[in-house]
Amino acid sequence: MSYHKPEAKTVQDLKDVAHKLRIHSINSTQASKSGHPTSCSSLAEIMSVLFFQQMRLNLKHPRDPSSDRLILSKGHAAPILYAAWAEAGLFPVSELNNLRKIDSDLEGHPTPRLNFIDVGTGSLGQGVAVGAGMAYVGKNLDNASYRTYVIVGDGESAEGSVWESLHFAAHYKLDNLCVIFDVNRLGQSEPTSLQHQMDVYRDRLEAFGFNALVVDGHDIDELCKALHCAESTKNKPTAIIAKTYKGKDFPEIEDLDNWHGKPLGDKAAGVIKHLQGLIVNQNVKMSPKKTCKTGQAPEVDINNIKLCTPPSYKLGDSIATRLAYGTALAKIGADNDRVIALDGDTKNSTYSDKLRNAYPERYIECFIAEQNLVGVAIGAACRRRTVAFVSTFATFFTRAYDQIRMGAISQTNVNFVGSHCGCSIGEDGPSQMGLEDIALFRTIPGSTVFYPSDAVSTERAVELAANTKGVCFIRTSRPNTAVIYNNDEIFTIGRGKVVRQKPSDEVLLIGGGITLYECLAAAEQLEKECITARVIDPFTVKPLDVDLILEHGKLCGGRIVVVEDHYQQGGLGEAVLSALAAHRNFVVKHLFVPTVPRSGPPAVLIDMFGISARNIVEAANSIMKK
Amino acid sequence: MSYHKPEAKTVQDLKDVAHKLRIHSINSTQASKSGHPTSCSSLAEIMSVLFFQQMRLNLKHPRDPSSDRLILSKGHAAPILYAAWAEAGLFPVSELNNLRKIDSDLEGHPTPRLNFIDVGTGSLGQGVAVGAGMAYVGKNLDNASYRTYVIVGDGESAEGSVWESLHFAAHYKLDNLCVIFDVNRLGQSEPTSLQHQMDVYRDRLEAFGFNALVVDGHDIDELCKALHCAESTKNKPTAIIAKTYKGKDFPEIEDLDNWHGKPLGDKAAGVIKHLQGLIVNQNVKMSPKKTCKTGQAPEVDINNIKLCTPPSYKLGDSIATRLAYGTALAKIGADNDRVIALDGDTKNSTYSDKLRNAYPERYIECFIAEQNLVGVAIGAACRRRTVAFVSTFATFFTRAYDQIRMGAISQTNVNFVGSHCGCSIGEDGPSQMGLEDIALFRTIPGSTVFYPSDAVSTERAVELAANTKGVCFIRTSRPNTAVIYNNDEIFTIGRGKVVRQKPSDEVLLIGGGITLYECLAAAEQLEKECITARVIDPFTVKPLDVDLILEHGKLCGGRIVVVEDHYQQGGLGEAVLSALAAHRNFVVKHLFVPTVPRSGPPAVLIDMFGISARNIVEAANSIMKK
């Protein structure tokens, strides 16, 4: 593919469009009285060339799976992204002045409430991971010709997540990915640490395996050439490192401090006049290239995914829920070839390797880099191309909390599976114990939090998660637990199970995972002490089966003991308390891990940290007087 | 400082010690029936040279502020670290066999329960940040000669946090820091992505500004020389990139897959016999160098830190709590020269720049890299060298949740200050809104969570945090709020304030930050509707003033409305519910942000998302019937 320089007329038109985009960015931020016009201006030529020379887009269907993707990782430059789509004809330019208004989806940072946005950005340093996920799918699953572009700010390139993703992209030779660094030298509160040391950026990107091109980011010719080089370069991704100026072509503002995140105020009119003077053809109108007819992405159907065979266990079999997860993952993988798994070098602990063993092409090893792991999954699931399951130790999702949080804003459907929850993992000690994972995933808007206790319910949780919108989290345990459900038991999100009851029950015990079994053992013991206890398995912590808990809680005299292998805050216990908040006459004893645990045998730890059958018996006894 | 090769006898002794460390690592993991002997073996020579040739240590006082620091970032290799300290004479070698036992502090991964450990490790990729924080303090605040060493696994070097910290260390020319990469080629579940591509590691580290030395990690001479070179190299940190083999000198195990995290079992005896055969002097006994007499760290006193002047506001003044934070920070900085501030390029929003303006040498700009920001602070606060305040937007602490979690295991006293909480920030939109930050910090064991509502209480929160052990979090708000406390009001952790009351009150309203003011406005409105409402400002969400809430909740008929600019889960509302769990006869209406907010004016958002005075009035009315 040899390079043909664009004609002089085209170059001039692209320059003119760039200035128009600048003017739109100023106007819209003037209208909203907030926003980042200077951060827009540095990438005006980049946007112009991407939209009107390089990318293949479908204006009738902005999420056409065969179109090129663009992620504006530096989401605060949203106004110029909106301006580019408006100039391209997707919606009227006049709408830009609704920026940041309460009834407009043109928000301060991009979200998929807009039909031309794949993921929310605005928390910095996350775009490359998402782009890498899209590119991985494009190259390896879709085998399609669409390309993925990511625009990264120089400030955000200090985020380690960016370097995780660059490494990932190079490792997997994602030559359909092009990362454009807008090196405008200035951060929010002071210059970036590298300022305009373009050679340092180049050295780093080359060392990370990229085809690294330093260009003048305001030179149309150089940008066109670099983008062509990116498209022609095989077996490695390209980084275009664009030297730019913040507030470019804004007189008395360009390249100066203290203009981050501020509309131009009373300087706006003068700057706009200056920019208009730079435009040669005031009526310039360009259109994006259309989506390729060749190399189209295949149609995929990710609806109604099923376990290819139902669970097949014997009651009383002893199987870790993490193992049942692996089994179920392979089963839904057999049912639908768009089920993929991603892991961070823990696949032989989480058992995601069961999918890899069956379908190696659908397993993505992300090595020990959880932020990128999550971001790649979010990218891979965009435009409904895949059903992604991400697994690692439950506690290591804390490493990617920000990515998961942004995943909710991105309306992602990624499924997260966290193994090794709680102090019941034993000797490895507290650094490896998930004791805040339920709290983390409960805070995610629209999330579903599964906490299956046996192998049958785990398999069904996996099947349900595959078909559920929004973030799903499945908490799995390290120790073996008994199978307590029949293989044909039906599970539903938001529906718990009463696993032990008698009409005379005086206290309700609620547990999940290993603590469900401690509840059952406690109930046995309590019965010897002439206290009969009912036991509930909530199955999902969010949504919680409020009606079931209210009904049976009342039947047990309003006495409830909740016990969980998790810290006090934000877990199952507080979920139960939230469910009961509007009702008087309940008394709840909450057993939880009260402090940082330590290394030791699981059974000893469970008892030492207050969540064993013995502790539950004590709690039930204490609550009987209330 | 010219290099003198160690004598042949010394080299042989160091080799022998390395093998002894291997044997100890095998024996202790045999005793515990779990652990990572192969991950220990790859760094046996590194440990031997560090402990018995390079580092200056004080065995009588392992946390001597003038001693060299060592952080084992790959914490799963704990057994060989314990073995080295035992060989050095800190405790009997026989104790190593208590590894991972419930009554031993020789846990699966290192924690500061041991007097020779500064920080917990085990969640990977965090050691360089901590080491960089120590080195920064050593070079810039202590002006002392101690050096900091960090041992990083090659697997964990995929974590972006590592690259954030490497960049930081080079940017600040931390030539007293030496990072040793143990490149043993094998991860947990498969080989690392770079395996033994030593040139790639070197290129990356050089590009990141390090003096990068590739060595044979099993060659004593090469290691000694590299460590000497590190000590002699000025103005840049050194990376020693050691090519090693996992399970080195373990026949039929060395460099093979599937030996991660497993004791050697029935192969142990044979391997030990082999290793004993490699030892020339079975009675080898070496001692570490002693802590330098020159270049000692100064004595510091960080007790009883005070605001240099009390708050000076007028009742009714309108001041954002984030601004009051900056004011207070400068005031405690005036009182104690070990108060430092760190920020991630948001200092002009969080107002941490007030410390920088007053004492530039005590402000550490960490740029946009929150994981490193938190890790550096944890390192800087080790051995009680500084009182560190870390600030950024509250929601961006999600980026460092894993570091903060590990901070609790590390027994850190770092103070975190999160600004821009809640949907009340307005037009920037949901990516910038802290709506899960209370949940995050509440889960941290031993944490204190301040949520001051006015400028006076904010200043006191800062003063209290500076003197409080464990992780402290102060949540600050973007909008201005009225000063409601007198300048001499006394604030105590765990003590709330009743800010409005009448004997006839029928409902209790609890809010924090902007919602406290919405509660006060709602109480005004309710009074017009002939419902009198009491209002409580909790001041700290953790610990919560349970007694105050119980007392006043009962006096208000058990009717409580809690309202917070935060998601439902894990915040103030669930904290209140936890406080009431053991008591019947309360009914709580919890108002919270129910879904992902959007861009818009703060007042509109507060009302749209259900936490305005109007919403509170509705809630109070609805609860009156209960």
Side-chain angles (χ1 to χ4, degrees):
Chain A
M1 205 161 56
S2 63
Y3 176 63
H4 298 286
K5 236 178 120 145
E7 291 175 18
K9 163 80 167 66
T10 305
V11 171
Q12 185 57 52
D13 283 356
L14 290 166
K15 285 183 187 176
D16 287 352
V17 167
H19 289 312
K20 284 180 77 178
L21 298 178
R22 286 193 169 96
I23 292 169
H24 295 328
S25 305
I26 295 171
N27 281 328
S28 60
T29 51
Q30 286 295 105
S32 64
K33 298 193 178 63
S34 67
H36 299 76
T38 57
S39 299
C40 292
S41 185
S42 61
L43 51 81
E45 282 77 18
I46 292 168
M47 279 293 186
S48 175
V49 169
L50 275 174
F51 270 80
F52 301 105
Q53 182 71 7
Q54 183 65 27
M55 288 198 300
R56 295 178 173 278
L57 301 172
N58 180 347
L59 288 177
K60 288 192 182 135
H61 180 195
R63 292 205 186 112
D64 183 339
S66 297
S67 293
D68 288 346
R69 277 80 166 145
L70 172 63
I71 298 148
L72 182 64
S73 187
K74 49 174 282 188
H76 54 286
I80 198 163
L81 178 64
Y82 303 159
W85 278 102
E87 273 294 321
L90 186 65
F91 57 87
V93 166
S94 59
E95 273 193 35
L96 295 173
N97 288 337
N98 296 325
L99 180 72
R100 292 174 167 237
K101 289 188 182 156
I102 191 75
D103 51 358
S104 169
D105 287 336
L106 297 171
E107 297 194 64
H109 296 79
T111 83
R113 286 173 178 145
L114 296 161
N115 66 359
F116 55 92
I117 299 294
D118 285 302
V119 288
T121 52
S123 182
L124 294 169
Q126 303 194 11
V128 186
V130 172
M134 292 171 161
Y136 189 99
V137 168
K139 186 178 174 82
N140 298 298
L141 275 82
D142 284 346
N143 300 306
S145 62
Y146 64 79
R147 294 181 57 74
T148 299
Y149 298 91
V150 184
I151 297 174
V152 179
D154 53 347
E156 67 173 320
S157 75
E159 291 282 11
S161 53
V162 172
W163 299 90
E164 291 180 4
S165 303
L166 294 169
H167 174 71
F168 175 91
H171 180 74
Y172 287 110
K173 302 182 171 34
L174 301 180
D175 48 18
N176 54 346
L177 175 71
C178 177
V179 181
I180 301 165
F181 289 82
D182 175 21
V183 185
N184 69 19
R185 198 184 70 82
L186 293 172
Q188 171 179 323
S189 66
E190 65 176 85
T192 65
S193 57
L194 290 176
Q195 301 207 33
H196 269 153
Q197 296 180 59
M198 307 308 290
D199 52 333
V200 175
Y201 282 102
R202 177 166 45 208
D203 289 350
R204 291 186 183 184
L205 282 154
E206 282 180 352
F208 270 72
F210 269 64
N211 172 37
L213 310 170
V214 173
V215 301
D216 175 346
H218 299 302
D219 185 304
I220 298 286
D221 277 328
E222 285 194 35
L223 287 167
C224 289
K225 192 171 175 186
L227 285 163
H228 178 270
C229 172
E231 198 163 3
S232 325
T233 299
K234 296 301 163 202
N235 289 318
K236 54 166 68 177
T238 292
I240 298 177
I241 310 160
K243 182 176 179 179
T244 61
Y245 293 92
K246 198 161 176 173
K248 172 72 178 173
D249 287 330
F250 296 2
E252 296 173 53
I253 292 171
E254 178 179 320
D255 203 32
L256 295 179
D257 277 331
N258 295 320
W259 277 102
H260 180 89
K262 289 176 187 166
L264 304 194
D266 56 13
K267 285 185 178 284
V271 171
I272 288 173
K273 196 172 171 196
H274 174 77
L275 288 166
Q276 279 167 336
L278 298 175
I279 296 176
V280 172
N281 174 7
Q282 300 291 338
N283 300 316
V284 62
K285 183 75 199 159
M286 301 187 83
S287 295
K289 288 185 189 167
K290 289 190 179 154
T291 299
C292 274
K293 290 290 174 199
T294 56
Q296 293 257 319
E299 277 194 26
V300 303
D301 180 0
I302 57 169
N303 296 310
N304 200 20
I305 292 171
K306 287 190 182 307
L307 295 170
C308 66
T309 59
S312 65
Y313 301 97
K314 279 188 207 146
L315 286 174
D317 275 358
S318 196
I319 292 145
T321 52
R322 61 179 171 134
L323 178 56
Y325 162 63
T327 303
L329 183 66
K331 285 186 183 182
I332 60 168
D335 181 67
N336 189 300
D337 68 2
R338 287 282 159 161
V339 171
I340 66 170
L342 307 92
D343 203 305
D345 193 23
T346 59
K347 58 185 174 289
N348 53 349
S349 291
T350 62
Y351 289 110
S352 64
D353 61 1
K354 293 205 161 222
L355 187 94
R356 186 176 88 144
N357 295 342
Y359 312 102
E361 72 285 2
R362 281 192 266 141
Y363 174 84
I364 308 177
E365 178 56 61
C366 294
F367 304 97
I368 306 173
E370 294 77 12
Q371 297 191 80
N372 180 63
L373 167 67
V374 169
V376 165
I378 291 172
C382 276
R383 303 195 187 187
R384 291 177 61 74
R385 301 310 295 164
T386 69
V387 178
F389 281 79
V390 179
S391 50
T392 183
F393 285 19
T395 200
F396 299 146
F397 283 121
T398 55
R399 201 61 162 264
Y401 192 7
D402 198 21
Q403 280 76 10
I404 298 165
R405 175 183 82 87
M406 289 300 297
I409 296 173
S410 300
Q411 304 176 8
T412 189
N413 299 321
V414 167
N415 307 296
F416 299 89
V417 182
S419 70
H420 291 68
C421 68
C423 67
S424 53
I425 69 163
E427 288 81 357
D428 272 344
S431 64
Q432 318 293 302
M433 297 170 175
L435 289 159
E436 58 294 288
D437 51 308
I438 299 178
L440 187 165
F441 281 99
R442 278 185 70 234
T443 66
I444 303 299
S447 68
T448 304
V449 177
F450 298 87
Y451 190 5
S453 297
D454 85 337
V456 173
S457 53
T458 302
E459 289 206 24
R460 292 303 180 189
V462 173
E463 186 179 47
L464 287 164
N467 295 288
T468 299
K469 290 274 166 65
V471 164
C472 288
F473 174 60
I474 303 174
R475 184 182 220 219
T476 67
S477 301
R478 183 171 183 272
N480 289 338
T481 48
V483 172
I484 55 171
Y485 294 110
N486 290 311
N487 289 314
D488 59 358
E489 182 84 22
I490 292 169
F491 287 87
T492 309
I493 290 170
R495 291 285 181 184
K497 303 280 182 188
V498 179
V499 293
R500 177 188 170 110
Q501 64 178 322
K502 289 192 177 166
S504 60
D505 291 338
E506 296 167 282
V507 59
L508 174 62
L509 313 180
I510 304 175
I514 63 111
T515 62
L516 181 68
Y517 298 85
E518 298 299 314
C519 286
L520 288 167
E524 289 284 326
Q525 179 60 33
L526 284 165
E527 194 161 354
K528 291 179 195 155
E529 300 174 20
C530 298
I531 298 170
T532 61
R534 195 162 294 191
V535 180
I536 280 183
D537 167 9
F539 182 56
T540 52
V541 181
K542 183 182 173 193
L544 190 67
D545 195 341
V546 178
D547 293 342
L548 189 80
I549 290 172
L550 280 174
E551 178 195 343
H552 291 276
K554 279 178 192 162
L555 291 171
C556 293
R559 288 180 289 270
I560 300 178
V561 178
V562 191
V563 54
E564 60 183 320
D565 198 358
H566 188 277
Y567 289 138
Q568 176 179 18
Q569 297 83 10
L572 175 61
E574 291 196 343
V576 168
L577 291 167
S578 272
L580 302 172
H583 302 272
R584 293 189 190 252
N585 269 320
F586 284 97
V587 56
V588 177
K589 179 78 185 171
H590 183 197
L591 304 182
F592 50 81
V593 178
T595 184
V596 175
R598 55 189 303 125
S599 292
V604 177
L605 291 176
I606 289 169
D607 195 60
M608 176 182 273
F609 292 99
I611 57 170
S612 70
R614 185 181 68 82
N615 304 122
I616 298 168
V617 167
E618 277 179 18
N621 271 301
S622 76
I623 212 173
M624 289 309 296
K625 298 153 205 155
K626 296 206 174 179
Chain B
M1 205 163 53
S2 64
Y3 177 63
H4 298 285
K5 236 178 120 148
E7 289 174 21
K9 165 80 167 64
T10 305
V11 171
Q12 186 57 52
D13 283 355
L14 289 166
K15 284 183 187 176
D16 288 351
V17 168
H19 290 311
K20 284 181 79 177
L21 298 177
R22 287 193 169 96
I23 292 169
H24 294 328
S25 304
I26 295 170
N27 281 328
S28 60
T29 52
Q30 286 295 104
S32 63
K33 298 191 177 63
S34 67
H36 300 75
T38 58
S39 300
C40 292
S41 186
S42 61
L43 51 81
E45 282 77 18
I46 293 168
M47 280 293 187
S48 174
V49 169
L50 274 174
F51 270 80
F52 301 103
Q53 182 69 9
Q54 183 65 29
M55 288 197 301
R56 295 178 172 276
L57 301 172
N58 180 348
L59 289 176
K60 289 193 183 135
H61 180 196
R63 292 205 184 112
D64 183 338
S66 298
S67 292
D68 288 345
R69 277 78 166 147
L70 171 64
I71 298 149
L72 182 65
S73 186
K74 50 173 283 188
H76 53 286
I80 198 163
L81 177 64
Y82 303 158
W85 279 102
E87 273 293 322
L90 186 65
F91 57 89
V93 166
S94 59
E95 272 193 33
L96 295 173
N97 288 336
N98 295 326
L99 180 71
R100 291 174 170 239
K101 288 190 182 154
I102 192 73
D103 51 359
S104 168
D105 288 336
L106 298 171
E107 297 195 63
H109 296 78
T111 82
R113 285 172 179 147
L114 295 161
N115 65 0
F116 55 92
I117 298 294
D118 285 302
V119 289
T121 53
S123 182
L124 295 168
Q126 302 193 13
V128 186
V130 173
M134 291 171 162
Y136 189 98
V137 168
K139 187 178 173 81
N140 298 298
L141 276 81
D142 283 345
N143 300 306
S145 63
Y146 63 80
R147 294 182 56 75
T148 299
Y149 298 90
V150 183
I151 297 174
V152 180
D154 53 346
E156 67 172 321
S157 75
E159 291 283 10
S161 51
V162 173
W163 299 91
E164 291 180 4
S165 304
L166 294 170
H167 173 71
F168 174 91
H171 179 73
Y172 288 109
K173 302 182 170 41
L174 301 180
D175 49 18
N176 54 345
L177 175 70
C178 177
V179 181
I180 302 165
F181 289 81
D182 174 22
V183 185
N184 68 19
R185 196 184 72 80
L186 293 172
Q188 170 178 325
S189 68
E190 64 175 84
T192 64
S193 57
L194 290 176
Q195 301 205 34
H196 269 152
Q197 295 180 59
M198 308 308 290
D199 52 334
V200 175
Y201 283 103
R202 177 167 42 208
D203 289 351
R204 291 186 182 183
L205 282 154
E206 282 180 352
F208 270 71
F210 268 64
N211 171 38
L213 310 170
V214 173
V215 302
D216 174 347
H218 300 301
D219 186 304
I220 299 285
D221 278 328
E222 286 194 32
L223 287 168
C224 290
K225 191 171 176 186
L227 284 163
H228 178 269
C229 172
E231 199 163 1
S232 326
T233 299
K234 294 302 163 200
N235 288 317
K236 53 167 67 179
T238 292
I240 298 177
I241 312 160
K243 182 175 179 179
T244 62
Y245 293 92
K246 198 161 174 171
K248 172 70 177 173
D249 287 329
F250 296 1
E252 296 174 53
I253 292 171
E254 177 179 321
D255 202 32
L256 295 178
D257 278 330
N258 295 320
W259 277 102
H260 180 89
K262 290 175 188 168
L264 304 193
D266 56 14
K267 287 185 179 282
V271 171
I272 289 172
K273 198 173 168 195
H274 173 78
L275 288 166
Q276 279 168 335
L278 298 175
I279 295 176
V280 172
N281 174 9
Q282 300 291 338
N283 300 316
V284 63
K285 184 74 198 160
M286 300 186 82
S287 295
K289 289 186 189 166
K290 289 192 178 153
T291 299
C292 273
K293 291 289 174 199
T294 57
Q296 293 256 320
E299 276 195 29
V300 303
D301 180 359
I302 57 170
N303 295 309
N304 199 20
I305 292 171
K306 290 191 180 307
L307 295 170
C308 65
T309 58
S312 67
Y313 300 97
K314 279 187 207 148
L315 286 176
D317 274 358
S318 195
I319 291 145
T321 51
R322 60 179 171 135
L323 178 57
Y325 162 63
T327 302
L329 184 64
K331 285 185 183 182
I332 60 168
D335 181 66
N336 189 300
D337 67 4
R338 287 281 159 160
V339 170
I340 66 170
L342 307 93
D343 202 305
D345 194 21
T346 59
K347 58 185 172 289
N348 52 350
S349 292
T350 62
Y351 288 110
S352 64
D353 60 1
K354 293 202 161 225
L355 188 92
R356 187 176 87 144
N357 296 342
Y359 312 101
E361 72 285 2
R362 281 193 266 142
Y363 174 84
I364 308 177
E365 178 56 61
C366 293
F367 304 98
I368 306 174
E370 294 78 11
Q371 296 191 80
N372 180 64
L373 167 67
V374 170
V376 166
I378 291 171
C382 276
R383 303 193 187 187
R384 295 177 58 75
R385 302 309 295 164
T386 69
V387 178
F389 281 78
V390 179
S391 50
T392 183
F393 285 19
T395 199
F396 299 145
F397 283 121
T398 58
R399 199 62 161 265
Y401 192 8
D402 199 20
Q403 279 76 9
I404 298 165
R405 175 183 81 87
M406 290 300 297
I409 296 173
S410 299
Q411 304 176 10
T412 188
N413 298 321
V414 168
N415 306 298
F416 300 89
V417 181
S419 69
H420 291 68
C421 68
C423 67
S424 52
I425 69 161
E427 288 81 357
D428 272 344
S431 64
Q432 317 295 301
M433 296 170 176
L435 289 158
E436 58 294 287
D437 52 307
I438 299 178
L440 187 165
F441 281 99
R442 278 186 70 233
T443 67
I444 303 300
S447 67
T448 303
V449 177
F450 297 87
Y451 190 5
S453 297
D454 85 336
V456 173
S457 52
T458 301
E459 288 205 26
R460 292 302 179 190
V462 173
E463 185 180 48
L464 286 163
N467 294 290
T468 300
K469 289 275 166 65
V471 164
C472 288
F473 174 60
I474 303 174
R475 185 183 219 217
T476 67
S477 302
R478 182 171 184 273
N480 289 338
T481 47
V483 172
I484 55 172
Y485 294 110
N486 290 310
N487 288 316
D488 59 359
E489 182 84 22
I490 292 169
F491 288 86
T492 310
I493 289 170
R495 290 286 180 181
K497 301 281 182 185
V498 180
V499 293
R500 178 189 170 110
Q501 64 179 321
K502 291 193 177 166
S504 61
D505 292 338
E506 296 168 282
V507 59
L508 174 62
L509 312 181
I510 305 175
I514 63 112
T515 64
L516 180 68
Y517 298 86
E518 298 299 314
C519 287
L520 288 167
E524 290 282 329
Q525 178 61 34
L526 284 165
E527 193 160 356
K528 292 180 194 154
E529 300 174 21
C530 298
I531 298 170
T532 61
R534 195 161 295 190
V535 180
I536 280 182
D537 166 8
F539 182 57
T540 53
V541 181
K542 183 184 175 192
L544 190 66
D545 194 341
V546 179
D547 293 341
L548 189 80
I549 290 172
L550 280 173
E551 177 194 344
H552 291 276
K554 278 178 192 162
L555 291 172
C556 294
R559 286 180 291 270
I560 300 178
V561 178
V562 190
V563 53
E564 60 183 321
D565 197 357
H566 187 278
Y567 289 138
Q568 176 179 19
Q569 297 82 12
L572 175 62
E574 291 195 344
V576 168
L577 290 167
S578 271
L580 302 172
H583 302 271
R584 293 188 191 252
N585 270 321
F586 284 96
V587 55
V588 177
K589 179 78 184 170
H590 182 196
L591 303 182
F592 49 81
V593 178
T595 184
V596 175
R598 54 188 304 124
S599 292
V604 177
L605 292 176
I606 289 170
D607 194 61
M608 176 182 272
F609 291 98
I611 57 170
S612 69
R614 186 181 68 82
N615 305 122
I616 298 167
V617 168
E618 276 179 20
N621 271 301
S622 76
I623 213 174
M624 288 310 296
K625 298 152 205 157
K626 296 206 173 181

